Structure formats: C-alpha cells, structure tokens
Amino acid sequence: MDRNTFTGLFLIMIIIAGSVYLMKPTDAEIQKEKQRVHLDSLKKAGKNPVQAVVHSAADTAAKPAIDSAALKAPFGASLAGGEQLITLENKDIRLKISTRGARVYSAELKNFKTFDKKPLILFDGTDNKFGTTLTVGSTIVNTNERYFGQVYTDGSNTVALRLSYSPTQYIDYVYTLPEEGYKVAFTVKPVGLDGVVANSDKFNLNWESNVRKQEMDMALERQYSSVFYNTFDDGVDYLSETKDDAKEVADHKIQWVSFKAHFFSSVLIAKNGISKANMAVSHDTSDHVHIKEMKANLVVDRAANGTFPMEFYFGYNKFDFLQTQGYDLEKQVDLGWGPLKYINRFAVLPVFHFLEQFNWSYGLIILALTVILKLVLSPLTYKSYLSMAKMRVLKPEMDEIKAKVGEDNPTLLQQEYLKLYKKAGVNPLGGCLPLLLQMPIVIAFFRFFPSLFELRGESFLWMHDLSTYDAFVKFGFTIPFLGDHLSLMCVLMTISTLIYTYFNNQISGVTGQMKYIGYITPIIFLGALNSYPAGLNYYYFLANMFTFLQQYIIRLMVDDKKIHAQIQENKKKPESTKKKSGFGAKMEEMMRQQQQLQGKKK
C-alpha cells in the first residue's frame, strides 16, 4: 500500500468516525423512535392507540438557586428538576401534561378550529394553573411550583406523576385518556401521608384559567361565558356573565365546576363531590386574547379507598352531545329563562335535530323551521288578522263618535267606544292577544340562536358563519349604539320589519302616536341585533316574509263586506243574548269609576 492510499483510507476512517459521533441521536430522539415503533405495532394489531409522547420544555423564568435547607425540607427534592411535557392524544383531543405541578399544560380540540382557522386550544402554558397546597408541620408546599417525577407512561393512554416525601410516602397524579372522546380521568392517590399532611382527607384544589378567545365577536363570547357549577341538591347555577363576580358555596355539595366559554368548556367533575368552593370570574376589556379569567378554590372529598377520583371534560357545548356525557352538563347551554327554555328544549330543538337528518345546510334548516312554526301558529295569525279587520270596518263609526263627543273628555270617548264594541261583538284587543301568544317563541329564539353550537362555522349565502354577525360594512371606528360594522342580514331584517309595520297599520287602521311607535321599534332593533348572530336575524327576516305571505292569503279569504254585515247583525241582537267578556266588564267598571272621579273634582 503506497503512502497516498494509506493517507486516503486514514482520512476516510476519521470522517466516518466523526460522522457517527456527530450524528448520534439524542436520548429524546431515541425515546421518540421507540414510541413510534410501539405505536406502529399497536396500529398493525388493529388498535387506535392514544399517543403519549414525552419532550422537554425549558422553564420560562430563570430558576433561583436552591439552598441545602430547602432541599432538606418536606418534599424538598421536588424543588430541583426540569420541566417536561407529556402528550396524551387520541383522535379528538391533544393534552400536554407538565411535570411541573403535574397539571394539564394545554388542551387542544383536534376536530375544531378558531374563527380564523387556527388550532383551537382552550388554554396553554401559563393560561392555566392547577394544584394544591400541602401543610406539613410549619411548612407549606405549593405543588404548582414542584417538579413531579414520572412514574410511568405505558405508551398508550395513561401517565402517572409522583411527588415524593419519602420512598414509601408520596402523591401520585394519574391521567388516563380513552381512545376517543373529550374526557380524561384524573385521580390523585396519596400514599402514607395521613400522619404527615394536615387534613389529608381533603384535597384543596386551586384551579385558575385565562379562557382564550375562539370566536370573532369577543363581546358576544364574553356575554355567554362564566363559571358554572352543579350541586347535588339545587342543580346547575352560575356566576354573572355580564360583570365580575365571586361566590362561595359551602352549604351544598358540588358535583362539578366548569370554566365555560361560549361554545367550549373545561369541566372538572369530582366523583365524590366538592364540599366547599370559592369561585370567581373577571375580565379585562383591554385584553384582546383572553375573554375572561376564571378561578375556583375547591375542597374535594376523598373516596372510601383513600383516593380522590375526578374527571376532566375538555370539549364543545352542543346540547345533545353534552347530554350523552352525563352529570347534567347540558344545563350549561343557555336555552332561555323561565318557561322559554322549555319551548326551546322540548319543541324547537327536537324539530331542529329532526331536520338535521336530511343533511341540508343550516340556512335551509332555519328556513324549514320557520315554515313549520308559521304553519303551527297560522290559526293565531288568522284570528289576529280577522280581529284587526273588524276594527278597520268599525273605524268610520268610531270617527263619528269622536267627532260627536270630542277629544276633551277621553273617558267619555272610551265609554262610547266600548258601547260600540259591545254592540258589534268586537274585542279591541283581539288583534293583540294572538300576537302576544306568539311573543314567547320570538323571545325564546333570541336566546336559542346565540347558544346553538350547530351554527358555529356554518355558512349560507354571503354569511360565512351563522353563529356570529355578517360584517357587510366595516367602519374602522365605533359608532355609538351600532358598533364598528353593519350586518347586512340585520339591515334586511329591519327593512322587512318596517314594511311589515306599514302593511300592518293599513290592516288595523291604527292612527296617531301608535302608528309611529311601530316604526321606531325596528330602528332600535337594528342597533340591538347588529352584533347578534346572522342566523338569528335570518330567522326574523324569514318570519317577516312568511307573515307577508300569510296575510296576503288571509286577505283573499276575508271579505270586509261580510264582516260589516256580520257586525250590523250583531247590533240588532238583544243585549241579553250577547256574551259579555270579562275584559269588557272590567273596562266598563274602570271607565265608570274614572267618570265619577272627574265629576267629584268638578
């Protein structure tokens, strides 16, 4: 072998050795590859594994030096360490568990996106605090600041993290994620600490979260967000959604506490209950990233086996889906107040979900829902129109009475009107009462549509998202009462309401101030509903359109001449044969009393 050949081979060996050393995989990469091989083997076996991946995370703040005395204190060894993030993942959610505090570091819903198409993360990093305070003698240990050791990760769906007091005395936090779904089991297992930690039969949990903005309209999102809780005795209650609020519950045992946003929730369910809770909600209007800050200091009760079994729900607020999760979680969804919620729950929602089976767009579903409701309410609409037609036919006679009596004595004028109504067999409120009976549905929808998860992200025509407003015009500045935009569907709804008011006035023959009040109300609604969901304004618009159609059809069926003839026949009937309404009797008595009072004053 000549000198040049030897030199070449020697250099090649150096390059190979250097490459092997420099390209050697790190321990984390080796662990990741083992994890990948394990997951591949599970997939080949026909399983849908939950992924558990471990990776390091640098602490955001520089760690202060730890003196030897602190290390020798109770749980002192947990002051030293580095933060690692362990990922538990199934087909629906991706959770990162931090070894610092053994808390859920972040929660991502994989099947959903934010309004601007970014990953939907309920909280991340310092957005969420979760831990307990342990009292050992005179030492107070905050687990949020302690590093838990990893007991095991089985490569599929469970991770256990340990905070050690001694080799035989410790606390384990165990997280178990099923292969699908939005729940994760969470169990705290203290071992050998009954004589060490004060009040070891209770788990004093401090949970805080800065809930992130997910929707386009932050104002509406805040309006439907707060801390909710469910007691075993009194059911679901919540803190104020419109202002900062705080509440202590100690007289009723609580089953779960929820940090509820508009369409998504983080819920902690205590299997053995929560004996005491201090909850608070607040928000900073200058913060354009988080909608509200929510806090809950909870005293969780221990189970018979000495553990604290709990469960998290990180998911979406769809009424029928929450029903399948149990624990009355669906009662977080705002379906309206009082009897209105029963209209939405037992009448509107079943019809809505029935129409979903046809796989129509939600714009068509709202259209079909409107048609069904209008058909159901058509008898009331007919009675209302007929009553207004009777009043219109009577108007010439009422004008004669007004000219004869004059306007100086309104009490006498009303008495004469009542006599005319009685003779003609007409109820002056007959046109209003059917409309009042329909009002609960109108109001119920005012709460129903903004809470309807089904509309989130659903487009129809020019409306990109039926769960929020359609900003047809953006001003670039804020106009009082209207906001920074103009919703086209709200404008169309307002125009249709004004047209409806005009034709309604023609039918009823209303005059004076009442005539103009009907035109002012739609303008007020323009400002009030401009930032409400396009789906709600779309429904109101459709309702007006179908009312026009109904009135046109009814007008073809109703003959004013026949009504006039019937009124004249009623006038000829003896007073004894006429049915006297309770309303008429009360009005007559009221008018008589007013007339007497006026006579005494004179």
Side-chain angles (χ1 to χ4, degrees):
M1 179 183 298
D2 59 20
R3 182 176 179 180
N4 291 335
T5 303
F6 176 80
T7 301
L9 290 173
F10 181 73
L11 290 174
I12 290 172
M13 291 176 63
I14 291 176
I15 293 172
I16 293 173
S19 300
V20 170
Y21 176 78
L22 293 174
M23 298 178 68
K24 178 183 178 181
T26 64
D27 293 339
E29 289 173 334
I30 293 172
Q31 178 67 24
K32 187 175 181 179
E33 179 61 20
K34 289 181 179 179
Q35 178 71 20
R36 186 190 65 78
V37 172
H38 175 72
L39 294 174
D40 287 344
S41 65
L42 290 175
K43 290 178 180 179
K44 290 179 181 179
K47 297 180 179 180
N48 179 25
V50 176
Q51 299 178 14
V53 182
V54 183
H55 58 279
S56 299
D59 292 326
T60 56
K63 298 176 188 176
I66 304 171
D67 58 32
S68 58
L71 291 173
K72 293 178 181 179
F75 297 100
S78 61
L79 288 169
E83 184 177 27
Q84 286 187 320
L85 299 180
I86 304 166
T87 300
L88 290 180
E89 182 175 359
N90 63 15
K91 71 175 188 177
D92 297 311
I93 60 175
R94 181 181 293 111
L95 303 178
K96 291 181 181 178
I97 314 297
S98 173
T99 56
R100 185 178 183 181
R103 64 188 175 90
V104 179
Y105 182 88
S106 68
E108 178 184 350
L109 306 188
K110 299 167 65 175
N111 301 323
F112 302 98
K113 299 292 183 182
T114 62
F115 75 98
D116 51 357
K117 308 305 179 185
K118 294 179 180 179
L120 198 149
I121 300 174
L122 298 182
F123 53 83
D124 183 62
T126 57
D127 288 348
N128 193 52
K129 295 180 180 179
F130 185 87
T132 188
T133 300
L134 305 174
T135 303
V136 184
S138 61
T139 303
I140 297 177
V141 178
N142 185 351
T143 63
N144 270 312
E145 307 301 327
R146 302 301 176 116
Y147 295 95
F148 284 59
Q150 184 176 317
V151 181
Y152 65 85
T153 299
D154 65 2
S156 58
N157 67 341
T158 298
V159 60
L161 300 173
R162 177 169 296 177
L163 183 68
S164 295
Y165 179 78
S166 75
T168 58
Q169 296 169 299
Y170 51 83
I171 299 176
D172 282 352
Y173 283 18
V174 182
Y175 294 89
T176 302
L177 184 67
E179 293 185 358
E180 62 180 2
Y182 297 87
K183 284 183 178 178
V184 54
F186 169 59
T187 305
V188 176
K189 297 181 178 180
V191 176
L193 296 177
D194 283 349
V196 176
V197 176
N199 299 320
S200 58
D201 60 332
K202 301 289 185 181
F203 184 67
N204 297 291
L205 177 60
N206 176 35
W207 185 24
E208 300 179 16
S209 183
N210 280 335
V211 182
R212 290 191 167 195
K213 178 179 184 290
Q214 312 291 354
E215 314 305 325
M216 182 173 69
D217 186 6
M218 177 173 276
L220 189 66
E221 193 173 6
R222 281 176 172 160
Q223 186 177 334
Y224 284 83
S225 303
S226 189
V227 177
F228 281 64
Y229 62 94
N230 182 32
T231 63
F232 286 95
D233 300 326
D234 292 345
V236 176
D237 202 351
Y238 58 93
L239 275 60
S240 174
E241 295 174 303
T242 57
K243 61 183 180 180
D244 296 352
D245 195 12
K247 188 174 185 178
E248 178 181 345
V249 178
D251 53 346
H252 295 282
K253 203 168 188 178
I254 294 175
Q255 187 174 38
W256 53 257
V257 173
S258 172
F259 292 170
K260 176 189 174 292
H262 191 177
F263 289 125
F264 301 94
S265 293
S266 301
V267 186
L268 176 67
I269 304 164
K271 299 295 183 68
N272 281 73
I274 298 167
S275 55
K276 184 178 180 180
N278 281 287
M279 297 163 287
V281 59
S282 61
H283 70 278
D284 180 0
T285 55
S286 64
D287 186 347
H288 301 294
V289 178
H290 302 97
I291 56 172
K292 287 185 179 179
E293 181 181 10
M294 304 184 188
K295 299 180 180 180
N297 293 317
L298 311 172
V299 179
V300 182
D301 293 340
R302 186 165 63 175
N305 61 1
T307 66
F308 298 91
M310 289 170 272
E311 194 171 28
F312 280 108
Y313 171 80
F314 300 114
Y316 57 101
N317 300 333
K318 186 178 180 182
F319 186 87
D320 57 339
F321 180 77
L322 288 176
Q323 280 184 309
T324 65
Q325 305 302 302
Y327 306 107
D328 291 332
L329 292 180
E330 74 279 1
K331 292 183 179 179
Q332 296 181 90
V333 180
D334 187 359
L335 295 180
W337 55 85
L340 301 180
K341 63 184 177 183
Y342 299 108
I343 295 174
N344 286 328
R345 180 168 183 177
F346 298 110
V348 181
L349 268 178
V351 174
F352 197 89
H353 291 153
F354 170 77
L355 295 172
E356 284 181 316
Q357 300 176 6
F358 298 101
N359 294 320
W360 295 342
S361 71
Y362 281 92
L364 294 179
I365 289 176
I366 294 175
L367 173 61
L369 178 65
T370 309
V371 172
I372 293 172
L373 288 175
K374 283 297 178 181
L375 289 175
V376 171
L377 298 174
S378 56
L380 292 177
T381 305
Y382 176 79
K383 288 183 178 181
S384 176
Y385 184 95
L386 188 61
S387 182
M388 288 189 292
K390 289 179 180 179
M391 293 296 294
R392 184 177 66 251
V393 170
L394 278 180
K395 191 174 184 307
E397 296 183 48
M398 293 174 67
D399 291 340
E400 291 179 7
I401 293 174
K402 187 175 182 180
K404 181 180 178 180
V405 176
E407 299 183 24
D408 297 336
N409 193 339
T411 303
L412 180 59
L413 180 62
Q414 290 299 323
Q415 285 181 337
E416 294 300 320
Y417 282 164
L418 286 174
K419 290 179 182 178
L420 176 62
Y421 299 151
K422 185 177 178 182
K423 290 180 180 179
V426 174
N427 184 351
L429 295 182
C432 299
L433 292 176
L435 292 177
L436 289 175
L437 293 174
Q438 298 181 52
M439 282 302 294
I441 294 179
V442 175
I443 299 173
F445 276 30
F446 184 76
R447 303 294 294 182
F448 174 72
F449 275 96
S451 300
L452 198 59
F453 179 85
E454 287 85 340
L455 298 183
R456 186 181 186 271
E458 296 293 335
S459 62
F460 184 68
L461 301 177
W462 69 88
M463 297 170 284
H464 299 296
D465 188 345
L466 290 171
S467 71
T468 188
Y469 59 82
D470 55 311
F472 180 69
V473 177
K474 293 185 177 180
F475 303 130
F477 52 89
T478 301
I479 299 177
F481 182 69
L482 196 61
D484 61 355
H485 68 277
L486 191 63
S487 167
L488 177 57
M489 185 49 71
C490 187
V491 171
L492 293 176
M493 182 275 295
T494 303
I495 293 172
S496 68
T497 306
L498 289 170
I499 296 173
Y500 168 76
T501 302
Y502 172 78
F503 283 107
N504 199 51
N505 288 343
Q506 299 300 312
I507 295 170
S508 62
V510 65
T511 58
Q513 293 181 349
M514 292 301 297
K515 179 178 180 180
Y516 299 101
I517 290 176
Y519 294 111
I520 296 173
T521 304
I523 303 301
I524 296 174
F525 283 159
L526 174 64
L529 298 177
N530 188 50
S531 293
Y532 266 72
L536 176 64
N537 287 313
Y538 173 55
Y539 164 75
Y540 287 153
F541 170 76
L542 290 176
N544 286 339
M545 293 296 102
F546 281 107
T547 301
F548 295 155
L549 178 61
Q550 282 182 320
Q551 290 187 347
Y552 176 76
I553 296 173
I554 294 171
R555 194 162 191 170
L556 296 177
M557 299 166 57
V558 174
D559 188 342
D560 286 4
K561 293 181 179 180
K562 289 184 178 180
I563 293 175
H564 185 268
Q566 182 63 49
I567 287 175
Q568 299 309 315
E569 287 295 323
N570 290 340
K571 288 181 179 181
K572 296 177 183 179
K573 293 180 181 179
E575 290 293 327
S576 58
T577 61
K578 294 179 181 179
K579 185 178 179 181
K580 191 171 184 179
S581 67
F583 170 79
K586 289 180 180 179
M587 286 295 294
E588 284 183 14
E589 180 62 26
M590 185 176 68
M591 293 298 174
R592 190 178 298 110
Q593 291 176 1
Q594 287 183 356
Q595 190 74 16
Q596 291 175 354
L597 288 173
Q598 288 180 357
K600 289 179 180 180
K601 289 180 181 179
K602 292 178 180 178

